[in-house]
Each structure stands twice: as C-alpha cells, then as structure tokens.
Amino acid sequence: FKFYHLVLWNSVTIFLSGTAFFYFAKKLQPETKINFNFDKRIFSLAAKYSINVAGYQIFGNLLFICERIIITRFRGAEDLAYYAVPMTVAIYISAFISSFTMNFVAFTSEFFARNQLGELENIYRKATKIVVALIGFLCFSLSVAAKPILTVWLDSQFA
C-alpha cells in the first residue's frame, strides 16, 4: 500500500468511529448537548496539564534515545539488543496497563466530584490489586516462556 492509502484508511476509520460514538452517545444520553459557552480559564488549565504531559514524554524519549546511544557507543550494537528488547517489552506492558487503568478514570472522577471518598478508596484499592496481578502474570509468563516468545518474535539465535 502507498502512504495515501494508509492515510485514507485511517481517515475513514476515524470518521466512522467518531460517527458511531456520537450516535450512541446521543442515544444513551439525549439530554447532552454540545455547548461552546464555558469558562475561558479551562484553556489555561488544559495548557498547564498538557505542558506537563508533553514535557514528561519528550524528556522520557530523549532519555531513552540517549541511553541507547551511550550503550551502543561504549558496549557495541550487540549489547544494545540485550537492553532494547527488555525495554521494549517493559514499554509495551506499561502502555497496556496505562490503557487498562484509563477505564477507572471515569469512576474516580465521578466519585471525587460527589465527594464519595470511601468509594474512591475502594476503586483505587481494586485497581491496584488488578494492576499488580496483571503485571505479575505478564512478567511471570514472559520469564517462564521467554525462549519460545523470543524465538517467534526475533529469532532462535537471540533467544
């Protein structure tokens, strides 16, 4: 496929997903309306939050790139693989856990807004237990089945 085919496919799927989301959101909550009358301070709050997140991500990526450069410079490209592969797996696990915990954000916001701190604490405890169990399961599975996974993912020589 050419690049514009991928852009077209991405645009069509985003449009269809957005249309479906809007349809079901209106169907489930018909009283909700789009309104542009809001407090203008929201822009400054969003900018402050966004700057922190963007700064964290930029700094993290720069640090990750610098680590790879330093390892390659002093240890060689062969040793970089022994760093990059586990780091890639760790990043995938972190991304999976982050996307999983996003499901709890709506509940925590709702309970915090209602000042139901007991329920909020219960959700945090349950979420923490689930995250620890998932990370434990993933790490245990990866350590036990490392050779077959690495053989399929990379090759048998690296495994």
Side-chain angles (χ1 to χ4, degrees), residues 29-133:
Q29 292 192 347
E31 70 277 0
T32 304
K33 295 186 177 12
I34 297 175
N35 187 358
F36 294 106
N37 297 327
F38 52 86
D39 190 6
K40 302 303 180 208
R41 291 181 293 164
I42 196 75
F43 288 117
S44 66
L45 291 172
K48 289 177 187 175
Y49 176 76
S50 300
I51 287 171
N52 288 333
V53 171
Y56 164 77
Q57 290 179 345
I58 289 169
F59 179 71
N61 286 327
L62 285 174
L63 185 63
F64 188 53
I65 290 170
C66 289
E67 287 174 342
R68 286 195 250 176
I69 290 170
I70 291 169
I71 291 170
T72 304
R73 173 86 172 123
F74 292 108
R75 303 288 305 225
E78 298 82 21
D79 284 351
L80 178 65
Y82 294 106
Y83 167 78
V85 170
M87 185 59 129
T88 304
V89 172
I91 288 171
Y92 286 158
I93 290 173
S94 177
F96 171 71
I97 296 297
S98 295
S99 63
F100 177 76
T101 56
M102 284 306 206
N103 296 313
F104 298 109
V105 171
F107 294 118
T108 57
S109 297
E110 183 177 339
F111 288 134
F112 185 75
R114 292 182 183 175
N115 202 21
Q116 295 176 335
L117 301 180
E119 291 295 324
L120 186 64
E121 184 179 351
N122 286 338
I123 285 191
Y124 276 125
R125 287 183 191 277
K126 288 178 184 176
T128 302
K129 289 177 183 176
I130 291 171
V131 165
V132 168

Side-chain angles (χ1 to χ4, degrees), residues 20-32:
F21 175 78
F22 183 75
Y23 171 76
F24 287 114
K26 271 309 250 185
K27 187 176 180 181
L28 294 172
Q29 292 192 347
E31 70 277 0
T32 304

